[in-house]
Amino acid sequence: MLDIQKIRADFPILTQKVNGKPLIYFDNGATSQKPRVVIDAITKYYEEINANIHRGVHTLSQLATDAYEASREKIQKHINAQYLHEVIFTSGTTQGINLVTNGFASLLKEGDEVMVSALEHHSNIVPWQMLCEKTGAKLIVIPMNEKGELILSEYDRLLSNKTKIVAVNHISNALGTINPIEYMIEKAHQVGAAILIDGAQATPHLKPDVQALDCDFYVFSGHKICGPTGVGILYGKEAWLNKLPPYMGGGEMIKEVTFEKTTYAELPHKFEAGTPNIADGIVLGTAIDYLNAVGFENIQQQEKELLAHATKRLLEIEGLKIYGTSEKKTSVISFNIEGIHPYDIGTIIDKLGIAVRTGHHCAQPIMNYFNIPGTVRASFSFYNTKEEIDIFVEAVKKAKMMLS
Ligand SMILES: *Cc1c(COP(=O)(O)O)cnc(C)c1O
């Protein structure tokens, strides 16, 4: 079992007071807090080895390059990618998805189909819509049910040899549903479609094994897994990454440049034009080391208990409805109280030092499905406690009293 007090001591921000009250941070779905080792590693990079990578022969450049590539290797091991060059540094999930949709623009034609699900974050909807506009391909949506689960019989029915790529999240940010991606990957491959998994919300809770999953692309963000903002990862199978054209042109991504013709660098550099986010790329490796030291089994155990406790306590409140009731879900609770706007609850409990997200959570189609403007979303991390949940539940009760 985790020693939660010891874990909490790793996170300087958790001792903050907000509006005069001890901070209770339940907005982990939006971004995670950072442990001291991560914060220190950023400073250390700038104090000790800051230099541009892959360019100079000088010592600092070599040290920075080695640290950057060592981080890539850590990530390769973490997600069990077969090859190091299948791990591409990006600025985050959004950029990873756009890199892939941009590449598919040269592969799709009118009549082809692109499939997303009703549970997606806007980041995994809008780039595919833009791709469809550009190519004349059709966007197909896998529907969901009242519990916030994808309807797999519909998925099976919608798949055909017209389907060129499926894009689906591993775990939903708005509802916490864990999608059956193993099944979905297998089915996509049966019709010859590629499949991209948006792992932004899964990677804080589990260690994806991209080879076991056999997905074609897997994307995630550093800032949701205790790492810095502005860095993320695109995993792609070698064959796909070779097939896709470069995303951006510039330095680092070329082999030879003349005004007549430029040839591109090998993977992974083909997709890493320009000076990358060196410091944060290196520190993403530190964050992954930290999470592995805590242990994903421990993380899951703690989060499972927090979810059960919070669900039980919140349902004591009359008129409170939870959206997303799949048995397979992570530590996210989206809810509303009858007759009260989610924003008003969020505002009142913020005064009590409690951070939750209110609104549509970048997933308007889900809110439209339930016919609501938004929800209050509390998302728990392994550094949260049952005591914090109890304070939160009392705060929600108080907000309800003030607002009704
Ligand atoms: C956060 C999130 C994104 C977008 O990630 P960025 O870091 O903002 O690029 C995409 N999909 C899901 C499921 C998310 O939770």
Side-chain angles (χ1 to χ4, degrees):
M1 267 315 292
L2 289 181
D3 179 347
I4 300 299
Q5 290 315 320
K6 190 161 161 279
I7 295 278
R8 287 179 67 82
D10 292 340
F11 292 81
I13 208 170
L14 297 180
T15 58
Q16 283 284 317
K17 287 207 165 146
V18 170
N19 295 321
K21 306 277 182 189
L23 167 66
I24 294 182
Y25 186 77
F26 285 170
D27 195 17
N28 295 286
T31 198
S32 65
Q33 295 304 346
K34 320 302 172 198
R36 170 68 69 197
V37 282
V38 163
I39 299 166
D40 287 350
I42 296 172
T43 310
K44 190 172 150 75
Y45 167 80
Y46 285 115
E47 285 182 352
E48 295 177 8
I49 61 168
N50 175 52
N52 210 330
I53 57 172
H54 305 303
R55 291 194 168 97
V57 291
H58 65 81
T59 304
L60 283 189
S61 173
Q62 201 55 55
L63 287 173
T65 304
D66 289 350
Y68 196 66
E69 292 307 318
S71 177
R72 195 195 303 274
E73 252 181 83
K74 266 180 204 169
I75 294 152
Q76 178 203 2
K77 290 209 177 77
H78 184 70
I79 64 172
N80 193 30
Q82 187 175 4
Y83 304 114
L84 189 58
H85 58 255
E86 292 175 323
V87 177
I88 312 290
F89 280 108
T90 64
S91 65
T93 302
T94 304
Q95 195 189 37
I97 295 169
N98 277 275
L99 189 158
V100 175
T101 58
N102 179 77
F104 267 78
S106 64
L107 304 177
L108 298 189
K109 56 179 190 321
E110 213 172 315
D112 286 344
E113 293 180 356
V114 168
M115 206 180 277
V116 297
S117 92
L119 269 179
E120 298 312 308
H121 188 283
H122 294 162
S123 287
N124 205 24
I125 300 174
V126 182
W128 299 106
Q129 273 174 331
M130 290 162 66
L131 170 65
C132 287
E133 263 168 40
K134 216 183 292 177
T135 59
K138 197 171 156 200
L139 192 74
I140 307 283
V141 182
I142 311 158
M144 68 173 188
N145 65 21
E146 272 287 321
K147 290 168 113 179
E149 296 167 330
L150 296 180
I151 304 172
L152 292 180
S153 56
E154 283 298 298
Y155 176 57
D156 294 348
R157 194 180 62 77
L158 291 167
L159 279 172
S160 75
N161 59 8
K162 286 190 210 152
T163 319
K164 296 304 165 205
I165 184 159
V166 176
V168 66
N169 63 60
H170 195 164
I171 293 179
S172 154
N173 66 302
L175 306 180
T177 315
I178 305 171
N179 289 313
I181 58 163
E182 293 81 358
Y183 177 87
M184 298 182 80
I185 292 165
E186 196 184 326
K187 284 284 171 172
H189 286 162
Q190 277 173 14
V191 297
I195 183 161
L196 174 143
I197 306 297
D198 170 355
Q201 214 57 238
T203 38
H205 311 290
L206 56 85
K207 209 170 138 148
D209 181 334
V210 293
Q211 284 190 80
L213 287 170
D214 195 32
C215 53
D216 300 291
F217 303 100
Y218 195 101
V219 290
F220 59 97
S221 296
H223 70 93
K224 290 184 181 170
I225 56 170
C226 295
T229 50
V231 66
I233 294 295
L234 162 68
Y235 157 81
K237 276 187 189 163
E238 181 188 52
W240 273 113
L241 293 178
N242 279 329
K243 200 161 166 182
L244 297 186
Y247 176 51
M248 294 198 294
E252 283 297 326
M253 55 76 73
I254 52 87
K255 190 181 273 169
E256 193 177 40
V257 178
T258 67
F259 282 109
E260 287 69 43
K261 184 165 172 57
T262 290
T263 49
Y264 304 127
E266 300 296 319
L267 293 173
H269 308 295
K270 173 181 159 189
F271 291 109
E272 295 181 350
T275 300
N277 186 347
I278 304 168
D280 297 323
I282 293 170
V283 176
L284 179 54
T286 312
I288 283 177
D289 282 345
Y290 177 80
L291 287 177
N292 280 313
V294 175
F296 279 90
E297 275 179 24
N298 292 331
I299 289 172
Q300 284 166 17
Q301 184 58 35
Q302 171 71 1
E303 290 175 346
K304 198 173 136 192
E305 284 175 23
L306 294 174
L307 176 66
H309 185 68
T311 305
K312 180 170 142 282
R313 291 286 338 260
L314 280 172
L315 288 175
E316 288 168 6
I317 301 173
E318 208 178 313
L320 186 143
K321 179 173 174 181
I322 293 177
Y323 298 90
T325 49
S326 176
E327 287 83 58
K328 293 199 172 76
K329 67 177 276 189
T330 47
S331 46
V332 171
I333 301 184
S334 249
F335 68 91
N336 274 329
I337 296 176
E338 211 180 338
I340 301 178
H341 198 281
Y343 178 82
D344 295 334
I345 297 175
T347 307
I348 290 179
I349 69 175
D350 173 58
K351 296 276 182 292
L352 302 169
I354 302 168
V356 291
R357 177 102 184 256
T358 63
H360 55 62
H361 319 300
C362 298
Q364 276 178 358
I366 300 180
M367 304 302 135
N368 295 343
Y369 174 90
F370 289 116
N371 203 17
I372 50 177
T375 66
V376 180
R377 183 188 69 182
S379 48
F380 313 116
S381 181
F382 58 92
Y383 45 68
N384 291 129
T385 65
K386 287 186 189 168
E387 292 70 35
E388 287 182 309
I389 287 170
D390 291 336
I391 296 170
F392 160 69
V393 171
E394 290 314 311
V396 173
K397 283 182 184 169
K398 191 168 170 187
K400 184 192 168 193
M401 229 158 61
M402 290 170 70
L403 294 164
S404 48

